[in-house]
């Protein structure tokens, strides 16, 4: 991953020296050529292409934006209802993520989508305790988080 | 019983860099726009305080092994030296000099001795703030 990004930058610099064009445009052309070369040579790398990771990050952002809008509409419905018949609940969410930044990112994503707030991370960092404003079925909520955010984060961190 | 502060600690580690960069920017911007040594120093101190809040005093001291009393002294010396230097040239106390230089990468910049004085103020503010917080924090 880091090696491929380095290689791409070095290839761009080599292109700048070859074409003796020391401008931002020359660097960009070299960078794009480097991307094409790295895609051609992908069989020689032990890890997967770093472009796949960039694409996974973009997908995660899009998923987050979609969930944000949907969840906001849901909370708006709860707030505007004339009678208060919501079902607030705490539930434990067992996570398979291990690294610090993954857990932080998942917690931030869960907290930023309205209706759910991460209140605590267990001491062995295997369980997140989530508070939800209006929840019918706990297993359904856990499955929803697992299928959207956790899957996307795993996609990013896969080597 | 230690609770798991993974979210706070990870976020603090990242935000520290952002606050530190912002403090350097504010310090540099002091001549033409709002900012300067005092605000920059307070911002730097607040970045370190954020680390102290997220971890603890011992960890932060091992990460940043700075003696803040010495830092205060260095800042005072820098400010006094900048102010006293013109007296050697027969100018009044606190005379400032400036000129325009063509620096590599940065282009045409005016270098001013008030910047050195501001650097002294910066060091004093960081040193004093951190000394106060460490002294209060270590009281058991």
């Amino acid at each position: 991953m880091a090696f491929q990004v380095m290689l791409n930058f070095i290839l761009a610099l080599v292109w700048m020296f070859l074409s003796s064009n020391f401008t931002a445009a020359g660097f960009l052309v070299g960078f794009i050529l480097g991307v094409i070369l790295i895609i051609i040579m992908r069989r020689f790398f032990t890890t997967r292409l770093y472009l796949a990771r960039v694409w996974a990050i973009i997908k995660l952002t899009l998923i987050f934006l979609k969930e944000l809008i949907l969840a906001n509409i849901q909370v708006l419905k709860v707030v505007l209802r004339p009678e208060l018949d919501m079902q607030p609940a705490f539930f434990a969410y067992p996570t398979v993520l291990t690294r610090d930044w993954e857990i932080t990112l998942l917690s931030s994503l869960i907290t930023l989508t309205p209706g759910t707030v991460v209140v605590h991370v267990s001491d062995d960092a295997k369980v997140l305790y989530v508070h939800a404003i209006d929840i019918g079925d706990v297993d359904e909520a856990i499955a929803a988080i697992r299928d959207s955010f956790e899957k996307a984060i795993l996609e990013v961190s896969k080597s | 019983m230690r609770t798991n502060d993974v979210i706070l600690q990870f976020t603090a580690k990242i935000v520290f860099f952002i606050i530190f960069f912002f403090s350097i920017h504010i310090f540099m911007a002091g001549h033409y726009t709002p900012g300067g040594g005092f605000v920059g120093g307070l911002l730097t101190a607040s970045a370190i305080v954020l680390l102290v809040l997220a971890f603890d005093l011992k960890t932060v001291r091992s990460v940043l092994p700075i003696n803040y009393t010495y830092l205060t002294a260095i800042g005072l010396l820098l400010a006094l030296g900048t102010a006293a230097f013109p007296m050697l040239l027969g100018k009044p106390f606190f005379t400032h000099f400036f000129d325009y230089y063509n620096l590599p990468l940065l282009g045409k910049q005016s270098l001013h001795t008030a910047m050195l004085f501001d650097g002294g103020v910066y060091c004093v503010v960081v040193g004093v703030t951190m000394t106060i917080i460490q002294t209060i924090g270590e009281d058991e």
Side-chain angles (χ1 to χ4, degrees):
Chain A
M1 163 79 193
F3 169 74
Q4 287 176 31
V5 177
M6 257 335 277
L7 182 69
N8 204 337
F9 268 88
I10 289 167
L11 283 170
L13 284 174
V14 168
W15 176 257
M16 278 164 75
F17 278 105
L18 283 173
S19 58
S20 47
N21 174 11
F22 300 102
T23 57
F27 182 84
L28 208 63
V29 171
F31 197 83
I32 291 165
L33 284 171
V35 167
I36 295 167
L37 267 182
I38 285 175
I39 289 173
I40 292 170
M41 291 293 176
R42 67 187 177 277
R43 301 252 186 278
F44 289 101
F45 296 116
T46 49
T47 55
R48 69 185 177 136
L49 281 181
Y50 83 92
L51 292 165
R53 196 172 285 205
V54 172
W55 176 240
I57 290 171
I58 293 168
K59 257 203 329 213
L60 178 63
T61 315
L62 291 175
I63 286 171
F64 169 66
L65 287 174
K66 188 192 87 180
E67 292 284 331
L68 185 68
I69 292 164
L70 287 178
N72 265 305
I73 291 167
Q74 257 181 343
V75 171
L76 190 68
K77 275 182 188 161
V78 170
V79 171
L80 291 178
R81 231 180 270 155
E83 71 275 358
L84 278 178
D85 59 347
M86 56 189 189
Q87 301 273 324
F90 283 100
F91 62 89
Y93 175 76
T95 179
V96 295
L97 303 175
T98 48
R99 294 196 194 101
D100 274 7
W101 67 267
E102 291 172 335
I103 292 166
T104 308
L105 185 60
L106 181 65
S107 311
S108 307
L109 290 175
I110 293 172
T111 305
L112 283 170
T113 45
T116 45
V117 177
V118 173
V119 288
H120 185 65
V121 183
S122 73
D123 293 348
D124 56 357
K126 283 189 169 52
V127 181
L128 306 178
Y129 294 98
V130 185
H131 180 258
I133 189 172
D134 185 13
I135 191 166
D137 182 14
V138 171
D139 295 332
E140 214 173 89
I142 291 177
I145 294 173
R146 175 170 299 132
D147 291 341
S148 58
F149 291 143
E150 199 171 67
K151 226 167 79 181
I153 292 173
L154 279 173
E155 194 66 36
V156 172
S157 61
K158 201 168 65 184
S159 63
Chain B
M1 168 71 189
R2 299 274 304 147
T3 51
N4 192 347
D5 289 336
V6 58
I7 299 174
L8 176 66
Q9 288 177 352
F10 181 79
T11 316
K13 268 185 262 180
I14 291 179
V15 171
F16 171 80
F17 290 104
I18 300 170
I19 300 178
F20 201 90
F21 258 50
F22 184 57
S23 78
I24 293 171
H25 163 74
I26 286 279
F27 172 74
M28 295 289 183
H31 202 67
Y32 298 107
T33 47
F38 187 78
V39 194
L42 277 183
L43 268 168
T44 306
S46 72
I48 302 170
V49 169
L50 178 71
L51 282 186
V52 174
L53 287 174
F55 296 88
D56 51 29
L57 273 169
K58 262 203 201 86
T59 318
V60 175
R61 187 168 304 129
S62 64
V63 171
L64 298 165
I66 303 166
N67 189 334
Y68 292 106
T69 326
Y70 286 6
L71 191 69
T72 314
I74 289 167
L76 282 171
L77 275 176
L78 195 61
L80 193 67
T82 313
F85 170 70
M87 294 168 79
L88 302 174
L89 306 175
K91 296 249 174 34
F93 188 61
F94 254 123
T95 312
H96 280 302
F97 304 95
F98 70 95
D99 203 354
Y100 291 94
Y101 296 94
N102 269 320
L103 297 175
L105 288 179
L106 296 173
K108 193 180 168 199
Q109 294 282 342
S110 67
L111 294 182
H112 201 297
T113 48
M115 186 93 184
L116 292 172
F117 183 76
D118 230 17
V121 173
Y122 177 89
C123 291
V124 170
V125 170
V126 173
V128 168
T129 316
M130 288 315 297
T131 309
I132 291 170
I133 283 163
Q134 275 193 347
T135 317
I136 295 172
E138 278 170 346
D139 267 355
E140 288 299 336

